[in-house]
């Protein structure tokens, strides 16, 4: 691998992340482990354009295949709701750039992440496994089905807008487990927390509205 391929972080980027964390605090994010993870994870590693001035503002930006990396606020919001404890098994649906995946890893989770678009899966795999050396399980597949052979999970996070809560995901959640999923068919989705009880029963809490790219069926090449 040539030196030009090595990802570099420096004081300039760290300074921009400090500012980003302050902006998130002002917007109401108070979870210290989540803010620490955002401070630690070099956001510019996940973009094709590390010099983009918007990268460290609270904005979403484009990645390959017409997808986006979520707003830092959205990542922080969902990560806070997930209440990740060290060593917990977390299923993420929608790997995308791998940024949210990386935040979960910094929170100490054992992460299993699925992406339906082959080029994004491949890119995230090269970055997280080969370049950055994280221990993470990445899958190319349809997140509507979850990962039955690795279930049950302590937590499930869905990072695309789901028209409904997929039944297999509810099944694959541990009793007492939490799922965080944006639900809605139109332009906007309602951030929803599902807390699983016994006998596949669950409690649902609906929170703020967000705009996500849609959760689509079937994997694509
Ligand atoms: N967590 C990502 C956000 C990416 S946007 C990040 O931090 O960058 C949502 C992602 O979900 C897209 O990459 C999209 O391709 C993927 N996706 C949509 N439907 C899916 C499905 N059924 N299974 C797996 N991934 C899906």
């Amino acid at each position: 691998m040539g030196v030009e391929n090595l990802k570099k972080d420096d004081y300039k980027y760290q300074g921009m992340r400090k500012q980003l964390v302050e902006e998130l605090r002002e917007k109401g994010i108070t979870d210290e482990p989540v803010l620490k993870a955002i401070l630690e994870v070099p956001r510019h590693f996940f973009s094709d354009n590390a010099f983009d001035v918007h990268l460290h503002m609270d904005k979403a930006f484009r990645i390959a295949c017409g997808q986006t990396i979520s707003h830092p606020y959205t990542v922080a919001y969902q990560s806070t709701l997930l209440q990740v404890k060290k060593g917990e098994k977390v299923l993420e649906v929608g790997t995308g750039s791998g940024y949210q995946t990386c935040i979960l890893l910094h929170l100490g989770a054992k992460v299993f992440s699925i992406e339906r678009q082959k080029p994004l899966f491949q890119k995230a795999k090269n970055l997280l496994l080969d370049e950055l050396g994280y221990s993470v399980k990445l899958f190319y597949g349809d997140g509507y089905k979850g990962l039955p052979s690795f279930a049950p999970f302590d937590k499930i996070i869905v990072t695309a807008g789901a028209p409904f809560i997929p039944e297999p995901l509810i099944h694959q959640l541990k009793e007492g487990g939490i799922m965080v999923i944006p639900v809605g068919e139109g332009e906007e989705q309602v951030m929803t927390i599902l807390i699983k009880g016994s006998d596949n029963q669950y409690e649902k809490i609906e929170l703020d509205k967000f705009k996500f790219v849609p959760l689509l069926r079937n994997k694509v090449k």
Side-chain angles (χ1 to χ4, degrees), residues 16 24 40-41 67 177:
M16 288 195 277
L24 294 176
E40 285 168 357
V41 176
Q67 301 302 312

Side-chain angles (χ1 to χ4, degrees), residues 178-190:
I178 296 175
M179 181 178 348
V180 176
I181 178 168
V183 185
E185 296 216 52
E187 283 245 308
E188 287 189 330
Q189 297 84 35
V190 177

Side-chain angles (χ1 to χ4, degrees), residues 29-182:
I29 303 292
T30 56
D31 189 298
E32 290 302 328
V34 168
L35 291 168
K36 183 166 175 273
I38 287 175
L39 196 61
E40 285 168 357
V41 176
R43 189 162 163 85
H44 63 286
F45 286 6
F46 299 84
S47 158
D48 291 332
N49 183 4
F51 302 109
D52 188 335
V53 289
H54 300 302
L55 202 60
H56 292 86
M57 296 178 191
D58 185 22
K59 291 189 174 178
F61 59 86
R62 285 229 170 278
I63 51 174
C65 304
Q67 301 302 312
T68 52
I69 162 168
S70 307
H71 280 71
Y73 178 77
T74 309
V75 172
Y77 188 99
Q78 285 198 285
S79 303
T80 299
L81 294 178
L82 212 57
Q83 297 173 43
V84 176
K85 314 236 168 21
K86 284 205 167 61
E88 279 186 341
K89 259 174 84 181
V90 177
L91 171 65
E92 178 191 33
V93 174
T95 314
S97 68
Y99 178 70
Q100 170 77 73
T101 318
C102 205
I103 296 291
L104 295 170
L105 289 166
H106 278 244
L107 289 169
K110 275 185 71 182
V111 186
F112 299 72
S113 185
I114 319 175
E115 173 56 53
R116 71 182 279 276
Q117 301 214 41
K118 189 94 180 258
L120 291 177
F121 158 75
Q122 202 57 55
K123 215 169 164 195
K125 204 168 151 220
N126 291 346
L127 177 62
L128 291 175
L129 294 175
D130 304 338
E131 288 198 67
L132 303 177
Y134 283 103
S135 161
V136 54
K137 300 251 190 293
L138 300 176
F139 300 84
Y140 164 51
D142 180 1
Y144 271 96
K145 299 177 184 146
L147 288 174
S149 47
F150 294 91
F153 297 96
D154 296 292
K155 307 279 165 73
I156 298 180
I157 176 171
V158 179
T159 71
F164 55 87
I165 303 179
E167 201 60 36
L169 299 185
I170 302 176
H171 278 280
Q172 290 169 33
L173 199 55
K174 266 186 198 165
E175 197 175 315
I178 296 175
M179 181 178 348
V180 176
I181 178 168

